[in-house]
Amino acid sequence: MDALAGLLEGPRARGAFMIRACFDPPWAVRVEDRAPLTVMLMVRGDAWVVPDTGERLRLRAGDLAIARGPDPYTCADDPGTEPRAVILPGGECGYPDGRPLNGSMDLGVRTWGDRPDGAAVLLIGTYLVRGEIGGRLLDALPPLLSLTSEQWDCPLTPLLMAEVTRDEPGQEVVLDRLLDLLVIAALRSWFAGPSAEPPAWDRALGDPVAGRALRLLQDDPAHPWTVASLAAGAGVSRAALARRFTELVGEPPMAYLTGWRLALAADRLRDTDDTLGAIARQVGYGSAFALSTAFKRVYGVSPQEYRAPTA
């Protein structure tokens, strides 16, 4: 598996929030849902995405933006327009003063805003849980990125427009898979562009010392690795490996291994019914207790809480 494939295998939406938003100017919506990743595809008209910090972004028809949470931002017809609605965690909506919208902007199945044929139409897909996106992928992305219609012609727009408003058995699964495909295709194009900044570990894969050690860790995370055994595998001294690995990857070999093992454990918690003990053995921990302790220290919740649908 190449490095990019390793990044992009992560998106796996489960009951993702997807909607067609339709507005007439002036309009503005404040997004405070703390979602790990949101995709905005401009179908008609134009819009601004204005983060609280950082550069604002203008979207025209055919453009796509991806916002990496949890920081809030505003979508509007103009950066100066005051928000008239706030999107909260779980897709809940309210007025800026805290009152609930109570469906006042609902326009039908997965359609929301002023009128179905509004001047501005966006397709919005939101991953609700961080576990649905690989942590390494999230860490490799800027807070806000975009692809213009000149950079990438989205072939999925007609299909998404047709499917988003359908209300048929299994429709959520169809939309989840379409959202995954949209994200993967868009990010593959973005990573190939000049503005993408590959993660440090990806750049390090080309190094004869750090790259060899990285591949050993990634290919066999359950092995009882030590700096000494990694150095032997890379054909250098322990001091040389530790220095080169830390310089290129940004953290020592054992710290990287811990993060890699826990990321794999998180994927298995979401994607399999394996017991915690089995997962611990698969990723290199001696017991379920040892994995649980390390997992909670890094992720802030126990493996059982992370695995639960409401986690």
Side-chain angles (χ1 to χ4, degrees), residues 3-242:
L4 182 58
L7 279 180
L8 297 182
E9 69 174 352
R12 297 182 185 92
R14 298 171 182 82
F17 179 73
M18 185 170 280
I19 200 167
R20 182 169 65 111
C22 312
F23 300 109
D24 288 319
W27 63 271
V29 177
R30 174 79 171 166
V31 182
E32 298 180 354
D33 60 3
R34 301 189 62 81
L37 201 73
T38 297
V39 185
M40 294 162 276
L41 179 59
M42 201 79 211
V43 178
R44 183 167 66 237
D46 56 14
W48 287 89
V49 183
V50 185
D52 285 8
T53 59
E55 294 291 327
R56 62 192 185 187
L57 173 67
R58 186 169 188 177
L59 295 178
R60 296 178 173 86
D63 295 352
L64 175 144
I66 296 180
R68 173 175 60 82
D71 295 339
Y73 54 92
T74 299
C75 292
D77 69 308
D78 182 270
T81 302
E82 289 295 323
R84 56 186 168 112
V86 180
I87 309 299
L88 301 169
E92 296 295 323
C93 305
Y95 290 103
D97 63 6
R99 291 177 296 128
L101 277 169
N102 293 326
S104 61
M105 297 180 71
D106 291 349
L107 299 173
V109 177
R110 300 185 193 88
T111 304
W112 187 78
D114 297 322
R115 57 187 178 95
D117 57 347
V121 176
L122 298 93
L123 285 174
I124 302 171
T126 300
Y127 291 82
L128 301 177
V129 180
R130 181 178 171 91
E132 297 171 349
I133 298 285
R136 293 195 307 151
L137 175 57
L138 288 175
D139 292 342
L141 300 179
L144 183 64
L145 65 88
S146 67
L147 289 169
T148 67
S149 58
E150 288 78 19
Q151 293 171 309
W152 181 61
D153 181 19
C154 178
L156 297 171
T157 302
L159 184 57
L160 284 164
M161 285 291 286
E163 293 290 343
V164 72
T165 56
R166 287 186 179 175
D167 190 15
E168 299 179 5
Q171 192 64 21
E172 281 195 355
V173 176
V174 172
L175 292 174
D176 283 349
R177 299 292 75 77
L178 285 174
L179 177 59
D180 289 343
L181 184 58
L182 176 64
V183 169
I184 291 168
L187 289 180
R188 183 174 63 178
S189 180
W190 182 77
F191 274 113
S195 60
E197 180 68 23
W201 60 262
D202 181 51
R203 298 192 300 272
L205 282 170
D207 183 77
V209 174
R212 174 60 177 162
L214 274 168
R215 289 186 176 88
L216 289 171
L217 296 177
Q218 292 178 355
D219 292 345
D220 192 5
H223 185 81
W225 292 109
T226 64
V227 175
S229 60
L230 276 177
V236 296
S237 69
R238 287 180 294 176
L241 173 66

Side-chain angles (χ1 to χ4, degrees), residues 237-268:
S237 69
R238 287 180 294 176
L241 173 66
R243 181 174 59 252
R244 189 65 176 166
F245 194 101
T246 304
E247 175 187 346
L248 294 180
V249 180
E251 60 183 341
M254 294 299 101
Y256 176 87
L257 177 59
T258 296
W260 178 234
R261 284 172 167 171
L262 293 178
L264 293 174
D267 285 345
R268 283 166 169 74

